[in-house]
Amino acid sequence: MLEQKLNAFFGDDQPTGFGTGWWSGVLSAFFGLLAFGAVVVLHFPQLLSSPELRPHYPMDLMRQLIQAVIVGAILLGLVSAVLRRKKVLGFTGMLFALAATLLGGASVEINEPLHDGMAIGLDWFLLDLLLMTLIFSPIEVLWPAYPKQSVFRPEWLLDVVYFLSTHLPIRITTILILLPATQLVAVLGNAGLQSAVGSLPWLAQFFLAVLVADLAEYWIHRALHEVPWLWRFHAIHHSSKALDWIAGSRAHLVDDLLIRGLMLIPMLFLFSQSIITAYLLFVTIHATWAHTNFGPTIKWLEPFVIFPRFHHWHHTSQKESIDKNFAIHFPWIDKLFGTYYYPEGRWPDTYGLHEEPIPAGFWGQTFYPFTRRKAA
Ligand SMILES: [Zn+2]
Ligand SMILES: [Zn+2]
């Protein structure tokens, strides 16, 4: 297993708290890898950047960001190398930062005119990984619901592979997700309905969009649980035995396409492009947050908006809460449809599938729904 080899190569039995050189080493290696990846994208922008994102990049800012990540990797690597007996983490970060610099660093020019076409979303993977890590990792480290759970808990690498698998083919998945909804709306769309919704204040439109999307997601999600052949895809998402923000990205491609593609159908009928874009941004953050290992809560708000503890009960392997809590934004939707389970103040004891063995690796899980179920 690659994960065990990585853990053994980089890890040691020293303490990992603040001031031990552990976090500076981890961050140095992380920044080093990001910087190296970003410079490679600058060298091959046609192949490695998403055509959808390219026109929106403020390039001066992106170059400053790459520069900052290179400097960060070197400084944190130095700190780690001074503080920690095992220097591999810090040296790895510095080595990647050095390689990124030797390859031209943040100032690599883009000379070719870029055109539309198939591309790999390495830019999107690196940027979203950095963004999500910056938003969610600090709150998980500082205020965890499960303090004993490490950032590098078992199967962390598998979830990074899933994160990679949903970001690199962004070009193909965007087309697949948009295709059914846009075709349907082109045939059945009603301009009057859309402009009626569009005349509402922006905030009202946005709230309505979250509500419509959550109602759609509730029923799609519930179907994924209750229709046996659909469950075989969704079971992958439920195979995580511990939750944190990146565990949320573990999903079979078919599961991901179904939820996002079907949810868009009512959205495209009712809302403008800007509202839908705002919603997509919101759902990325809220759905990821629902998986975090983050303990604090605002008690009076819990019945109205989903906090991590609510979705964690959706992921438990404990019998009392199986097939409960399907909503992703509003818990009261589950109350409305009789699938609400939210015992006060408690977190689940165990996570994962209830008596359903599934393969361990990415490819095994990808092919799992298509394999014949063994007779009991
Ligand atoms: Zn589920
Ligand atoms: Zn989930």
Side-chain angles (χ1 to χ4, degrees):
M1 286 293 281
L2 181 62
E3 182 177 299
Q4 279 149 2
K5 278 186 191 153
L6 282 178
N7 286 345
F9 185 70
F10 290 104
D12 52 36
D13 48 12
Q14 303 286 299
T16 55
F18 293 108
T20 63
W22 167 250
W23 284 112
S24 48
V26 169
L27 278 174
S28 168
F30 179 60
F31 286 164
L33 268 170
L34 286 182
F36 184 74
V39 173
V40 173
V41 173
L42 284 180
H43 276 285
F44 305 99
Q46 182 61 51
L47 176 69
L48 298 177
S49 74
S50 327
E52 288 88 352
L53 298 177
R54 269 178 223 149
H56 304 291
Y57 283 133
M59 276 316 285
D60 285 342
L61 198 74
M62 299 312 291
R63 290 183 190 281
Q64 282 169 24
L65 183 67
I66 296 171
Q67 192 58 50
V69 171
I70 291 177
V71 173
I74 293 173
L75 290 180
L76 288 161
L78 283 172
V79 170
S80 177
V82 170
L83 289 175
R84 204 161 184 84
R85 197 184 306 155
K86 189 166 177 176
K87 322 269 182 210
V88 187
L89 268 176
F91 282 165
T92 303
M94 287 192 276
L95 207 71
F96 272 109
L98 187 71
T101 309
L102 290 177
L103 284 175
S107 52
V108 172
E109 290 293 334
I110 297 174
N111 294 319
E112 47 180 324
L114 302 180
H115 51 84
D116 205 10
M118 271 306 150
I120 299 166
L122 183 60
D123 57 337
W124 174 228
F125 168 75
L126 295 170
L127 202 61
D128 202 27
L129 186 64
L130 175 65
L131 225 90
M132 293 295 152
T133 306
L134 287 181
I135 299 175
F136 294 115
S137 293
I139 64 167
E140 288 188 331
V141 171
L142 291 172
W143 304 287
Y146 299 88
K148 286 190 190 135
Q149 184 179 313
S150 152
V151 170
F152 297 96
R153 40 98 186 146
E155 299 187 338
W156 69 268
L157 190 63
L158 175 65
D159 291 334
V160 174
V161 172
Y162 270 103
F163 195 77
L164 201 69
S165 81
T166 51
H167 285 72
L168 294 189
I170 180 185
R171 182 93 186 128
I172 302 167
T173 48
T174 315
I175 293 170
L176 286 176
I177 288 164
L178 278 171
L179 203 65
T182 43
Q183 295 295 317
L184 259 176
V185 173
V187 178
L188 302 169
N190 181 328
L193 194 65
Q194 223 189 33
S195 68
V197 175
S199 65
L200 294 169
W202 194 91
L203 220 64
Q205 286 186 56
F206 180 72
F207 175 79
L208 203 63
V210 178
L211 182 63
V212 167
D214 207 14
L215 282 169
E217 278 156 355
Y218 175 93
W219 285 105
I220 303 160
H221 189 182
R222 192 161 163 178
L224 285 163
H225 277 251
E226 292 178 358
V227 179
W229 67 270
L230 287 178
W231 166 252
R232 301 200 20 111
F233 292 101
H234 189 56
I236 310 297
H237 181 63
H238 280 268
S239 66
S240 302
K241 292 197 178 61
L243 290 192
D244 49 24
W245 77 262
I246 201 158
S249 57
R250 188 186 304 186
H252 195 282
L253 184 67
V254 172
D255 179 351
D256 196 50
L257 292 177
L258 275 175
I259 293 186
R260 291 200 283 164
L262 292 175
M263 173 270 285
L264 266 182
I265 294 175
M267 298 293 276
L268 281 172
F269 269 100
L270 293 169
F271 303 103
S272 66
Q273 191 61 53
S274 76
I275 293 285
I276 294 178
T277 308
Y279 173 72
L280 291 178
L281 208 74
F282 174 72
V283 68
T284 309
I285 306 247
H286 195 191
T288 307
W289 185 62
H291 293 91
T292 49
N293 172 21
F294 175 68
T297 186
I298 304 169
K299 227 170 173 188
W300 63 267
L301 205 56
E302 275 195 340
F304 303 105
V305 181
I306 283 173
F307 278 75
R309 199 169 69 80
F310 182 84
H311 193 66
H312 277 235
W313 276 108
H314 177 67
H315 275 269
T316 185
S317 55
Q318 289 159 238
K319 263 198 179 134
E320 63 270 29
S321 184
I322 288 190
D323 294 344
K324 298 285 193 291
N325 300 6
F326 294 112
I328 197 66
H329 303 303
F330 302 125
W332 42 266
I333 291 182
D334 276 282
K335 218 174 229 174
L336 206 67
F337 297 123
T339 49
Y340 182 83
Y341 187 82
Y342 211 4
E344 236 193 279
R346 281 201 295 125
W347 289 79
D349 297 316
T350 58
Y351 290 91
L353 294 164
H354 183 73
E355 294 174 352
E356 183 177 346
I358 65 160
F362 176 78
W363 291 111
Q365 294 182 353
T366 300
F367 290 115
Y368 169 73
F370 305 105
T371 54
R372 205 181 268 272
R373 193 192 291 263
K374 279 195 203 92

